[in-house]
Amino acid sequence: MEFSNSCSSFSSSSLDSTKPSPSESSVNLSLSLTFPSTSPQREARQDWPPIKSRLRDTLKGRRLLRRRDDTSLFVKVYMEGVPIGRKLDLCAFSGYESLLENLSHMFDTPIICGKRDRKHHVLTYEDKDGDWMMVGDIPWDMFLETVRRLKITRPERY
Amino acid sequence: MALRLPSKVLKHILSFIDSNEDRNSVSLVCKSWFETERKTRKRVFVGNCYAVTPAAVARRFPEMRSLTLKGKPHFADYNLVPDGWGGYACPWIEAMAAKSPSLEEIRLKRMVVTDECLERIAASFKDFKVLVLTSCEGFSTDGIAAIASTCRNLRVLELRECIVEDLGGDWLSYFPETSTSLVSLDFSCLDSEVKISDLERLVSRSPNLKSLKLNPAVTLDGLVSILRRAPQLTELGTGSFAAELKPEAFTKLSKAFSNCKQLQSLSGLWDVLPEYLPALYSVCPGLTSLNLSYATVRMPDLVELLRRCSKLQKLWVMDLIEDKGLEAVASYCKELRELRVFPSEPDLDATNIPVTEQGLVYVSKGCRKLESVLYFCVQFTNAALITIARKRPNLKCFRLCVIEPFAPDYKTNEPLDKGFKAIAEGCKDLRRLSVSGLLSDKAFKYIGKHAKKVRMLSIAFAGDSDLMLHHLLSGCQSLKKLEIRDCPFGDTALLENAAKLETMRSLWMSSCFVSFGACKLLSQKMPRLNVEVIDEHPPKTRPESSPVERIYIYRTVAGPRMDTPEFVWTLHKNPEIGVSKLAIK
C-alpha cells in the first residue's frame, strides 16, 4: 500500500545530525519537525521532556540556586560539529590557562583564546545576556559570574 | 417461557458489583437489566466530560453518590493544550445540584473549577464528604474556605498539583470549631504560609485524620509540632526540609517520626538536606510508599535510606539515584511494584547521565512484583528492553522516556524496534505504554499486533510515515486513548481508520501532518465524533493541505460542544465551509 504525504508547506529546518535517514518504509519524507537539533543555542522547552510544571519549575529554581553556591559551577561545553557535549566545573580551575589546558586535553586538540582563524580551535562563551563572547577578555572572577556555557569553534574553512 | 430474574434479586446481585466496567456490561444485556443497573449505580465515572451531557448523567443515575470527571486531554500536563481550551466543571455542578442533591463525593481531574463552583458545591450537597481536585485550576483559596466552613461532614479535601490563586493561609481557620470529621487533607500545592497555630488546632480536633500533606511553606519546626499532635497518621507529606541543622532540631524531628508508628506513605521532602534523612530511618521499615521526586539527594544518602525500606511498594525518585542506587533498590526493596525515576536535569543538552538503561534492568531483575514503570534517561538499548520484557512479563504500565528525541540504541545504532517488540509481545497484560527513542514504522507494526490489552499509548518523535498510525489504529484491540506528538502522520491513515475512533475515548495529535481538509472530511464523515482543531492560526486563512497544529478527536453522545474558545475549530462552528476533495486511495 502506497501512502503519499505532502509536507511542502512546512519550512525546512536543518536535520538533526544524530537522526539516521528513513529506513525501508515506502515513503521518503524529508522530516522537518519542529524539534531543533542538538546545537547549544537550543532554548529550554516547556513541553519536553514530559514532566509536570511543578517539577519543571522546582528544577529551574534549583539550578538558579546552585549558581550562587561558591563550591562549584558546572557549565556545558560543546565543540562545533559534535552533538554530544561535556560538563565542566569551572571552580576547579584557577584561571584561563588551566581551563584551556584541561579543555585541550578533554577534546584532544589544542584550544586557544582569541579571534577565530583558519588554524585553531577557539574557545568562546555565552554570557548571562545571551551574547557569545571571546574567552579571556575579562578577569577570571568576573568571567565566573557571567559565563553560562562554552563553545569551541572549529577552524574556519574557506 | 423465558426465565426472568426478578428485579429485586438482580438488584441484590448488583449490590456486589463495584466495577463500572462490569456494570457497563450488565447494562447492555437488556432493557430491564439496564434499568435496574442504572438505579443502583452509586459511583459514576465519566472519562471525558464532553462525551456526555451532565443532564443525561444525572437523569440516568438517580442514586449517584460519587462523581468522577476528567476534562482536558492528558498532554495538557505538559503545556501542549493552550489555556482556555475548556473542561469547565460548572455545568456539571449546576446539573448535579439540581438533580442529585445527595451527591457526596466529587473527583475532578484536569478541569477548570471556579470559586463560584466550589461555593455551589458547598451550598448544594448537604452531606458532602469528599472533594479531590487533581491538576485543576481556576479557583482561589476563598473557594477552599467555602468548602471548609460549610461542609460539616467533610472527610476528604485534596488539592493535588492544582494551580490555585493563593490569597493567604486563612482558609485553614474556616474548618468547624468543634471536632471535624477530616480523614485526609492535602494542600501541598499551595504556596503561601498557613498559621501553624491554625494547623495545630485543626489537627488536634480531627481525631480521624489519617492523611496529611503539607505545603512547602511549613517548616521543620511546624512539622514536628504537627506530628506530635497526629502520631496516628498513615500518610504524610512533609513541608520544606531546608533549615539550618541544629542538633536539638534533629533530635526533636527524629523523636517525632519515631512516634508515628503507623506511617506507611511519605512524600514532600522539598529541599531535604541529607543530614536530616537519618531522622526518617525509624519509619522506613514500615513504609510502602515513598515519594522523593523533589529531594535532590545524592546516591549514597538515598541508598542509606532505601536499604531500610524492605516493605516499599512504590518509589518515586530523581535520577540522582544512579544505576548503582537502583541496583541497591533491586536488592533491598523486594516488594516494589511501582518505580518512577524523574530527570534532575531536564535540559535537552544534558550530558551528565546519572541513570542509564542498566538501572532499570537491575530493578527488573531484582523486583519480581514490579508492574509499573516510568523512567527518564538519555539513552537506551534494545538488549535492555528485551531483558526487561523477559524478566518482567507481568508489567502493566511501561513508560520509557528517552529524553533525546530519535536516540537510537546507542550500542548498535539501530532503532529501538526490536526492544519495544519484546515489550509488546512479552508483557501480555500491558495496559499502558509510552515509547520513545528512534522508532521506525516496524515498531508500531509489532505494537499493533501484539499489544492486545494496551488501553493508553503515548508516542513522541517517532515513526517514518502514515504506516505507523495505520498499524496502531488497525491493530491495538483494546486501545482507548492515543496521544501523539511530533510524528510524521498524515491524513491517509487517519481517514482510513476513522471507524476505529468511535471505539476509543480520544485521539490527540499535535505537530503532526494532519491537514485541515482531512479534519473537515473526518468531521463530516463521523457525526458521533467531535473533531477539534486547536490552532493559533485560524484555519480559514490557511490552505486545505496545510497541517494543523493540534487535533483532538473524541467520541461523544453529547453532540458538538458550545463552549469552545476562538482557537478551537469544530465543524459545528463553521458549517458553511465546504469540504474539499482530497486525493486519497
Side-chain angles (χ1 to χ4, degrees):
Chain A
M1 209 192 274
E2 197 78 51
F3 286 84
S4 66
N5 224 314
S6 72
C7 49
S8 48
S9 46
F10 253 35
S11 62
S12 263
S13 54
S14 57
L15 283 177
D16 185 338
S17 56
T18 59
K19 186 186 179 314
S21 51
S23 55
E24 52 260 284
S25 65
S26 57
V27 179
N28 191 355
L29 281 176
S30 74
L31 274 181
S32 3
L33 298 175
T34 52
F35 202 89
S37 61
T38 53
S39 72
Q41 276 83 15
R42 193 158 39 182
E43 282 162 24
R45 290 183 69 115
Q46 291 303 304
D47 58 40
W48 188 263
I51 55 176
K52 295 191 183 165
S53 312
R54 183 143 252 238
L55 184 60
R56 195 183 299 278
D57 294 340
T58 310
L59 294 175
K60 246 194 268 176
R62 292 243 179 88
R63 246 177 282 138
L64 290 169
L65 271 175
R66 260 185 268 150
R67 272 288 143 79
R68 294 179 223 142
D69 180 1
D70 286 328
T71 57
S72 66
L73 177 60
F74 280 96
V75 297
K76 291 167 190 159
V77 192
Y78 280 88
M79 175 166 292
E80 243 174 11
V82 180
I84 306 287
R86 308 292 297 269
K87 223 172 194 182
L88 214 59
D89 180 4
L90 292 182
C91 288
F93 306 112
S94 50
Y96 290 117
E97 255 187 65
S98 66
L99 172 62
L100 282 175
E101 212 184 292
N102 201 282
L103 281 176
S104 301
H105 191 258
M106 202 183 244
F107 286 90
D108 206 27
T109 182
I111 299 171
I112 60 160
C113 293
K115 271 181 79 178
R116 277 191 85 158
D117 65 22
R118 261 182 264 182
K119 291 192 211 151
H120 299 100
H121 284 91
V122 177
L123 184 61
T124 63
Y125 73 98
E126 186 188 30
D127 70 4
K128 61 172 185 271
D129 297 325
D131 298 316
W132 286 92
M133 316 288 283
M134 288 198 298
V135 164
D137 277 357
I138 55 174
W140 178 252
D141 288 339
M142 276 183 68
F143 172 68
L144 288 182
E145 303 245 306
T146 186
V147 62
R148 280 223 286 193
R149 54 186 161 192
L150 300 171
K151 182 170 72 181
I152 301 163
T153 62
R154 282 213 283 231
E156 298 207 309
R157 286 178 290 227
Y158 284 91
Chain B
M1 187 167 102
L3 188 68
R4 272 195 69 193
L5 211 55
S7 66
K8 258 201 197 150
V9 176
L10 182 58
K11 216 171 154 182
H12 183 70
I13 296 173
L14 289 183
S15 67
F16 295 102
I17 301 183
D18 284 325
S19 140
N20 274 353
E21 266 192 64
D22 291 340
R23 278 180 165 269
N24 289 344
S25 304
V26 164
S27 63
L28 291 174
V29 169
C30 64
K31 279 207 179 116
S32 71
W33 280 44
F34 177 88
E35 283 300 305
T36 310
E37 192 284 312
R38 77 175 186 86
K39 287 178 186 159
T40 57
R41 191 183 303 204
K42 295 216 164 67
R43 318 189 68 85
V44 176
F45 171 82
V46 178
N48 174 5
C49 65
Y50 290 117
V52 63
T53 62
V57 174
R59 222 174 17 239
R60 179 173 169 185
F61 302 111
E63 295 301 309
M64 180 177 13
R65 294 287 176 274
S66 154
L67 176 64
T68 303
L69 281 175
K70 294 189 181 181
K72 299 185 204 172
H74 172 239
F75 272 178
D77 282 352
Y78 315 125
N79 299 318
L80 285 173
V81 179
D83 281 337
W85 170 83
Y88 305 106
C90 267
W92 286 87
I93 304 303
E94 291 293 323
M96 298 313 146
K99 301 271 172 60
S100 308
S102 309
L103 196 60
E104 297 175 358
E105 306 181 5
I106 294 177
R107 293 173 174 80
L108 305 177
K109 189 166 188 179
R110 283 186 217 106
M111 295 194 77
V112 176
V113 182
T114 58
D115 283 345
E116 289 73 38
C117 211
L118 292 172
E119 283 155 18
R120 201 82 161 84
I121 292 175
S124 315
F125 307 112
K126 294 303 161 206
D127 204 15
F128 197 67
K129 295 195 168 80
V130 172
L131 182 65
V132 177
L133 303 177
T134 307
S135 303
C136 294
E137 49 165 357
F139 59 101
S140 78
T141 41
D142 282 351
I144 305 301
I147 298 280
S149 65
T150 319
C151 305
R152 302 260 125 189
N153 291 324
L154 193 68
R155 294 207 188 132
V156 172
L157 177 59
E158 291 176 11
L159 308 174
R160 301 180 187 172
E161 297 173 310
C162 295
I163 300 176
V164 184
E165 192 192 342
D166 198 332
L167 303 168
D170 264 347
W171 61 273
L172 202 61
S173 61
Y174 279 75
F175 283 99
E177 281 300 320
T178 53
S179 81
T180 79
S181 36
L182 273 181
V183 173
S184 168
L185 177 63
D186 178 350
F187 62 96
S188 52
C189 63
L190 298 182
D191 285 320
S192 64
E193 256 184 67
V194 296
K195 264 200 257 163
I196 272 299
S197 50
D198 283 344
L199 192 53
E200 286 167 353
R201 273 201 302 269
L202 177 65
V203 168
S204 299
R205 66 184 194 277
S206 304
N208 299 327
L209 194 66
K210 289 278 185 226
S211 170
L212 179 61
K213 295 190 180 161
L214 308 169
N215 70 349
V218 175
T219 61
L220 276 180
D221 278 339
L223 176 63
V224 169
S225 160
I226 298 304
L227 288 181
R228 281 205 194 120
R229 288 168 167 77
Q232 79 281 9
L233 287 178
T234 58
E235 281 189 3
L236 172 69
T238 71
S240 169
F241 254 61
E244 201 190 307
L245 186 65
K246 293 182 213 145
E248 327 92 58
F250 178 84
T251 318
K252 271 199 263 177
L253 189 64
S254 258
K255 186 137 189 282
F257 269 110
S258 63
N259 276 334
C260 296
K261 302 207 190 287
Q262 300 179 46
L263 206 57
Q264 290 174 345
S265 162
L266 189 57
S267 59
L269 300 167
W270 285 283
D271 306 315
V272 63
L273 296 175
E275 293 79 23
Y276 278 117
L277 287 179
L280 305 173
Y281 288 172
S282 60
V283 297
C284 287
L287 283 184
T288 55
S289 166
L290 183 53
N291 183 351
L292 294 164
S293 46
Y294 293 101
T296 40
V297 177
R298 302 271 151 202
M299 184 270 293
D301 297 310
L302 283 172
V303 170
E304 212 27 57
L305 187 69
L306 290 168
R307 70 177 185 80
R308 295 169 151 86
C309 302
S310 56
K311 287 213 191 118
L312 205 60
Q313 295 180 17
K314 175 170 138 177
L315 174 62
W316 292 18
V317 71
M318 302 228 86
D319 58 9
L320 301 168
I321 192 170
E322 297 177 34
D323 289 344
K324 205 152 174 240
L326 289 172
E327 193 180 9
V329 168
S331 74
Y332 294 120
C333 308
K334 290 300 190 190
E335 298 296 312
L336 200 67
R337 284 153 171 71
E338 177 179 330
L339 174 69
R340 293 195 189 190
V341 177
F342 296 99
S344 55
E345 197 72 53
D347 270 357
L348 297 151
D349 310 5
T351 52
N352 229 0
I353 310 169
V355 295
T356 70
E357 78 282 5
Q358 191 51 49
L360 188 54
V361 169
Y362 285 139
V363 179
S364 303
K365 283 184 177 166
C367 302
R368 296 222 176 91
K369 300 189 183 173
L370 187 71
E371 54 181 34
S372 173
V373 170
L374 170 60
Y375 200 77
F376 284 86
C377 59
V378 178
Q379 55 197 20
F380 229 79
T381 62
N382 280 311
L385 283 168
I386 291 168
T387 306
I388 292 167
R390 199 180 63 233
K391 289 289 176 183
R392 293 278 65 78
N394 52 324
L395 280 174
K396 293 208 169 78
C397 168
F398 187 73
R399 297 161 73 189
L400 176 65
C401 183
V402 176
I403 299 181
E404 181 66 38
F406 313 119
D409 176 328
Y410 72 93
K411 289 197 175 145
T412 65
N413 230 37
E414 291 172 345
L416 291 176
D417 297 348
K418 281 192 221 150
F420 279 107
K421 174 181 190 235
I423 296 280
E425 263 185 322
C427 306
K428 301 203 189 304
D429 287 327
L430 200 62
R431 288 169 66 98
R432 184 166 178 185
L433 177 63
S434 298
V435 301
S436 55
L438 182 67
L439 293 162
S440 78
D441 289 342
K442 254 208 217 147
F444 299 97
K445 188 163 158 206
Y446 302 138
I447 293 174
K449 189 166 172 216
H450 296 288
K452 300 202 164 85
K453 294 209 180 151
V454 164
R455 297 167 54 99
M456 181 169 179
L457 186 52
S458 310
I459 305 171
F461 304 107
D464 302 313
S465 72
D466 260 45
L467 264 175
M468 175 184 150
L469 183 60
H470 176 71
H471 286 316
L472 292 175
L473 292 179
S474 59
C476 292
Q477 295 161 253
S478 308
L479 195 60
K480 291 279 169 280
K481 286 190 284 186
L482 179 58
E483 48 185 22
I484 301 170
R485 59 166 295 178
D486 294 276
C487 294
F489 303 143
D491 308 334
T492 321
L494 192 59
L495 292 168
E496 288 216 2
N497 293 283
K500 170 82 169 184
L501 299 175
E502 275 188 6
T503 68
M504 292 166 53
R505 184 188 295 173
S506 66
L507 168 64
W508 168 278
M509 289 173 67
S510 55
S511 304
C512 297
F513 293 152
V514 180
S515 73
F516 182 47
C519 295
K520 289 197 294 195
L521 189 59
L522 191 64
S523 280
Q524 285 221 330
K525 230 173 113 176
M526 313 290 296
R528 286 188 300 198
L529 295 178
N530 273 359
V531 176
E532 296 187 8
V533 174
I534 303 165
D535 208 316
E536 282 169 289
H537 310 96
K540 268 184 271 193
T541 67
R542 298 161 117 224
E544 299 273 290
S545 59
S546 71
V548 299
E549 281 173 18
R550 308 168 192 85
I551 174 171
Y552 184 47
I553 304 168
Y554 51 91
R555 67 179 171 189
T556 180
V557 292
R561 63 172 175 123
M562 301 302 175
D563 59 1
T564 50
E566 252 181 31
F567 55 81
V568 172
W569 174 94
T570 62
L571 189 66
H572 163 82
K573 246 182 174 175
N574 300 292
E576 72 277 3
I577 296 178
V579 177
S580 69
K581 293 255 186 282
L582 290 171
I584 301 165
K585 278 226 188 111

